[in-house]
Amino acid sequence: MLIISTIATVAFPVSWYVKNDLIGIVNGMSVILQLVAFMYFYKMLKPQISWFKAGLNTTAKSIYSFAICSLFLKVIVQLLLLFSDIATLSH
């Protein structure tokens, strides 16, 4: 679900060149689907995080934390781009 929604968000840059309301709808639905998939992913990992982190060194913990935070920020930025004023600024 996360991979499909990420690929579907390509509709956002396509909307810069092709003016069609359907492209905006596809982008909006894919961003919302991406948010739901991220929440499901985090909910699935949460019970196992402490067990997983116990066997890692400090560097590996930092890298995994950075990866999860990067994914979260990507979803948040794409969610903010649903607002037309912010999307215009990013263009």
Side-chain angles (χ1 to χ4, degrees), residues 52-73:
F52 180 72
K53 281 184 163 182
L56 298 175
N57 62 20
T58 307
T59 305
K61 286 180 188 178
S62 298
I63 291 172
Y64 279 113
S65 297
F66 180 71
I68 295 294
C69 288
S70 296
L71 179 62
F72 177 71
L73 286 174

Side-chain angles (χ1 to χ4, degrees), residues 12 15-16 19 80-91:
F12 177 67
S15 70
W16 297 340
K19 300 298 179 194
L80 288 173
L81 290 176
L82 290 178
F83 300 105
S84 63
D85 293 339
I86 298 172
T88 304
L89 285 173
S90 76
H91 177 67

Side-chain angles (χ1 to χ4, degrees), residues 14-23 91:
V14 169
S15 70
W16 297 340
Y17 302 104
V18 179
K19 300 298 179 194
N20 190 342
D21 292 336
L22 183 62
I23 293 174
H91 177 67

Side-chain angles (χ1 to χ4, degrees), residues 5-6 9-10 27 30-31 34 73-83:
S5 62
T6 301
T9 56
V10 169
N27 183 48
S30 60
V31 168
Q34 198 172 45
L73 286 174
K74 179 183 101 50
V75 171
I76 294 301
V77 166
Q78 287 184 330
L79 192 62
L80 288 173
L81 290 176
L82 290 178
F83 300 105

